[in-house]
Amino acid sequence: MIKAESITKCFGRKVALDRVSLTLDDGHIFGLVGTNGAGKSTFLRVLTGILKADSGNAFLNGQGVYENPSAKQQICYVSDEPAFVTGATLSDMDHFQAAYYAAHDSARLRELCEFFSLPMNERISSFSKGTQKRAQIVLALSRHPRLLLCDETFDGLDPVMRESFKRVLGEVMLDEQMTTILAGHSLQEMENICDSVGFLHEGKLLTSGDMDHILSRFCKVQVVLENGEPNALLNGLTVISDRRQGRLSILTVRADEAEVQERLKAASPQYLEAIPLSLEEVFILEMEEQGYAK
Amino acid sequence: MQNKKRSVFYMARRHAVLALVMFAAAFFMVPFHALTVFDTVRGAIRAADADSAANPYWTRNITAMVSNIVEAGFNQEILTFGFAGLGFFSAVILFKHLFSRKQALMIASLPLRRQTDFLERVAVYFLTGLLPAALGLLLYPLIALAGGLAPYMTGKIAVQILMLLMIHLYGFTLGAFCASITGQVWACAAGALFLGGGFEFAANCWQRVAWHYLYTMPVEVVMPIIRRWSPAFSLYKALRQPELFSPLAGIVCTAVFVVLAYLAYTRRAAEGAEHPIAIKALEMPLSVIVSLFAGSITGYIFMTFFGKEAALLIAAAGGAVVGWIMVQLAFTLDFRQAFRRLPAGFACGVLLLICVFGFRFDIFGYERYAPDPQKLTAVTVQSGNVMGGNENYTLKQPDTKAAACTLAGMLRDAATGRRVYHDPVYPEMNLTFTSGHGEVRRAYAGGASSAEMHGMTAWQAAVNTLLNSDEYRQGRIQTGCLDEYLAALDTDAAGNIYIYGWEQIYGSGGNGWESYKTASGRQNDAFNYRNTDQIRKVIESLKAAIQRRTLSSLQQDPVFVIHISGRINNVYKDSSFAVYPDDYELLRALGGEELIEMAGLLSGGFAEVTDCAVYRVSFDASVTDLIEGKICSPQKWMRASTKDEAKEWIRASIKTNDADIYYYPAVGNEEIWIFDLNDQSEQIPGNLDPDTDLVQLVMEQQELWYWPAKRFVSKAR
């Protein structure tokens, strides 16, 4: 289990993380979504034990992470800026990881390299950005981590490799009960594979929870009423948007879909249909509420 | 545990190239360079073997060459800077991840404690930095052994190899510390330069500034402290002469750097990489230090160039403020941030001004220091031209301590703010007052002329008290190590003690030594005595001369100086003594009757054997005014009536350093003018009547000048 307890981290006067708390069970896959500069990378680095929190703590299975080699042995961080030993090949990185990580599996590395079409003996610095991402992923998975933290990993991969990565990740998670945190802006991928998700904005975790829960925080309906204003029926609920196309009203409301439908049905609508919201739409709505974008 | 070992060996393997560079650099700087030196040495050994009358010093010289890495390898400076640089380079390579954000984050993600990571990097340094350098250096004794030079090898080689490795380690720890507190390589290098010698340099600058204002401050106050306590300097000195200098300061500093590097490495934030200063808390103190340093340097440079107080003040304050702005710019790499916290920069400038004014107005009462002789346990004197030439002795008796304090007080009271060193016209004294509270040093130089000081009754009384005391005479013998040399002669070979002749540094002495060398056909300055008896005789004669000398004999121009040096109980000793015309026994022991004759000739005897006219010319001004070239007219002149009188006049005179002018110190406002009557090339008319008054002629024609005595000496020979 990974647990973040009220983590605060400042860089100079800038508050990068403001009392962020999160708990994830083993085998869970969590999506961390946030605006640019929201503190996603910082949060992952604190969870990895790279950065020291100014206050609060990160724990892996009850052990503090910072300056704890046994915890760090089980954590793998795939950075948004790939970093390797200077001038190294994947073969060199194999030796590097073997020197530092007890669970490093050279055979698995070779296997994954083959799967992701990565040359073992070419300098990684000569790889393209996307290929370097792939190299990072295979190196990470070859360590059999208990916790995998991926920072914008999907963003540098082509669609084919994204699918391959998702497939491999799914297999590993099933086999090894690995917990994964995916941070980034590829919300569609996250919606597909994450069990739960959290929104980070200006250093604060606005909300987090199961994907279904998050998606159900808003509902979007199309409704045609014979008489009356739909807004009046939704009195007491937060209507975020109300667009009209003739008699058709398209409403976005911060409320549970069942409650909205129930209220609208009370007015015997000629037409009523709930439109499912994507994670991306929910995120945008959430950010709009925060005044981030209009 | 197994994993830790693996990570060390992995890192060591990755830095194999570093190891190669270290080995090659060490090999190139010492054993490789020594190959050519050894070739020369072997040639010299063959030559010595072939010559049965070879100089007995050969063996010692060859041993000194072979057993001294600084002689056989690159010179001391290159070796010191080279090995410190190699150590620093190792640190930069092993801690280079601290200069790259990506690399720093990657290393921080490794399952290692910072402490372990640091210690592993130090271990890798030992494997890839120090060990290869040691192996490279160890080829030196192997090459020497292979070259058949084993008889000339001593343990000094091992000590010097250890010293070089110590310097390497010092460079590494300095680099590790600087890398740990910085996040950019240029900042690391700047920090290393500053810590390596910046404080010493700044201290020297302030010594110069203080010396500019404080008349009684010795020329070197800071340097002795630096020699003793500067880490870099102690290693530098101990490399050449490990038997004389302790590298303790360097070793302690290395240990301190390791501890500081460890603390900084384990506490620095991973996000500090690529910032000039990785530890934010250090920004303010470093800004202040750099600002004060910049102000000190610029103040000193401007004072040196322009020689004006205003230049010092403006440059010190301005330099501090500019330094502040520069350091803010360096820390933030943002022009908009360059002026942040500027009031603190101004405060640094004001602080420097307060320091300058502190010296200017002597707020600490440095100049007013006047110890009570009764409360002093000893007074150590280094004097020039108080009694004679350059003398060192320590006084412990109440009357001699009081006399030394009297002389110092009189010189201080006569101070004009002008310092003149090594001029026989001016007395100078460096005193070390020792009491229960430690030592206090003061210097007094060039306030008034010897003639003027000797004209004072109190001065004469104090000088005579010193001169006639056993402490002074025994002190001269003791500080000159004469008894130690004699004792060494009883047990060791004469070859351990060398006697050289040299020019007298006070006055010109008429180039006495050069004249003697030319006359006696000597090729070098060494007396080259081949047996113990000759050396013993010289030293005993010198002891006797010291016991016998009177004030008037000491006030003559010395003929030349002898240096005595030797290695006693494995410690190098060196002392110098002026030789005076009246030291007949000493002159005889040194060079026989020929040298006595030469000394007599040099010190005035030329007036007997050449055709010259000697005048005592009195002026209406003091001798100090005369020396300073103030316009004054001869009031009275008197020509020597006999050659003997001419000789005595010249002999009783002394000669200034700055001009070929002879003064008659007993009177104080008289010069000795000497005319070569046979020198047709000069402006004296050839058919001059011997009875012509030459001084009158000089006054009338305003063209004629007097001639330095040395010309006469060369003619006489």
Side-chain angles (χ1 to χ4, degrees), chain A residues 9 11 45 49-51 66-67 69 72-73 81-86 92 95-96 98-102, chain B residues 3 6-7 10-11 13-14 96 101-103 105-115 120 270-271:
Chain A
K9 175 73 185 172
F11 297 113
R45 284 168 188 160
I50 292 174
L51 299 182
Y66 188 72
E67 287 290 88
K72 281 176 150 185
Q73 283 280 357
E81 298 169 313
F84 305 92
V85 173
T86 312
D92 294 332
H95 296 302
F96 173 74
Y100 287 98
Y101 294 96
Chain B
N3 216 44
R6 284 178 72 181
S7 56
Y10 168 78
M11 254 204 288
R13 243 191 352 263
R14 262 198 68 75
K96 68 177 185 297
R101 203 171 62 89
K102 277 163 63 172
Q103 293 288 319
L105 295 179
M106 185 184 78
I107 297 298
S109 74
L110 292 175
L112 285 177
R113 283 199 179 85
R114 298 280 189 93
Q115 294 92 320
E120 282 189 8
E271 63 267 30

Side-chain angles (χ1 to χ4, degrees), chain B residues 57 101 108 212 223 234 284 388 440 464 480 524 639 685 697 711:
Chain B
Y57 304 130
R101 203 171 62 89
H212 179 74
M223 271 316 284
S234 75
M284 193 62 177
V440 175
N464 276 312
N524 56 48
R639 182 169 178 172
L697 194 66
R711 294 193 184 179

Side-chain angles (χ1 to χ4, degrees), chain B residues 180-477:
Chain B
S180 298
I181 62 168
T182 60
Q184 292 199 343
V185 73
W186 67 263
C188 172
L193 272 178
F194 186 77
L195 287 174
F199 286 109
E200 288 87 339
F201 188 57
N204 253 320
C205 291
W206 276 105
Q207 143 106 50
R208 297 289 162 198
V209 172
W211 194 78
H212 179 74
Y213 290 114
L214 302 175
Y215 177 71
T216 61
M217 177 173 268
V219 180
E220 288 196 341
V221 173
V222 168
M223 271 316 284
I225 299 169
I226 288 176
R227 278 194 202 107
R228 189 167 179 188
W229 298 111
S230 162
F233 205 81
S234 75
L235 294 172
Y236 167 80
K237 295 297 284 184
L239 172 62
R240 175 177 277 277
Q241 292 170 300
E243 66 276 23
L244 289 183
F245 294 94
S246 163
L248 185 66
I251 292 170
V252 169
C253 186
T254 302
V256 169
F257 278 144
V258 171
V259 172
L260 290 177
Y262 174 83
L263 293 174
Y265 190 81
T266 51
R267 278 160 180 73
R268 72 176 267 154
E271 63 267 30
E274 295 184 10
H275 292 283
I277 294 298
I279 299 175
K280 280 273 176 195
L282 291 177
E283 270 195 9
M284 193 62 177
L286 285 177
S287 297
V288 171
I289 290 171
V290 173
S291 171
L292 293 176
F293 181 76
S296 305
I297 304 291
T298 48
Y300 167 67
I301 290 171
F302 275 69
M303 184 187 83
T304 307
F305 272 104
F306 297 104
K308 297 272 196 302
E309 191 174 45
L312 165 65
L313 295 172
I314 293 168
V321 175
V322 172
W324 181 273
I325 293 170
M326 296 299 287
V327 81
Q328 301 314 311
L329 195 59
F331 285 170
T332 59
L333 302 175
D334 181 357
F335 278 105
R336 290 167 301 179
Q337 297 287 313
F339 298 98
R340 66 178 185 162
R341 303 177 190 149
L342 196 56
F346 282 113
C348 291
V350 171
L351 184 62
L352 291 183
L353 291 182
I354 289 171
C355 292
V356 173
F357 281 119
F359 292 126
R360 171 77 173 75
F361 297 106
D362 191 19
I363 57 171
F364 298 110
Y366 188 92
E367 302 280 72
R368 294 190 295 279
Y369 179 73
D372 178 356
Q374 303 310 316
K375 291 181 180 169
L376 297 173
T377 51
V379 179
T380 302
V381 183
Q382 286 180 290
S383 69
N385 202 37
V386 171
M387 282 173 281
N390 191 18
E391 297 180 318
N392 301 334
Y393 46 92
T394 299
L395 306 167
K396 291 183 177 171
Q397 295 299 317
D399 58 333
T400 52
K401 283 187 296 184
C405 290
T406 302
L407 294 176
M410 291 182 76
L411 280 176
R412 186 191 58 202
D413 295 342
T416 59
R418 176 177 54 98
R419 297 174 173 95
V420 182
Y421 291 103
H422 307 326
D423 192 310
V425 174
Y426 294 96
E428 60 183 82
M429 291 180 87
N430 283 286
L431 299 184
T432 305
F433 303 104
T434 308
S435 67
H437 304 296
E439 290 185 347
V440 175
R441 290 174 61 219
R442 289 293 185 275
Y444 310 88
S449 69
S450 283
E452 285 162 335
M453 297 309 291
H454 279 292
M456 299 180 199
T457 311
W459 177 272
Q460 278 187 14
V463 168
N464 276 312
T465 301
L466 289 184
L467 185 61
N468 295 321
S469 69
D470 275 349
E471 262 189 327
Y472 163 75
R473 296 176 193 274
Q474 289 304 321
R476 292 285 294 128
I477 291 167

Side-chain angles (χ1 to χ4, degrees), chain A residues 20 41 97 132 141 189 195 270:
Chain A
V20 177
S41 300
Q97 295 207 148
Q132 286 191 10
L141 295 177
E189 265 79 20
D195 304 319
Q270 290 180 334

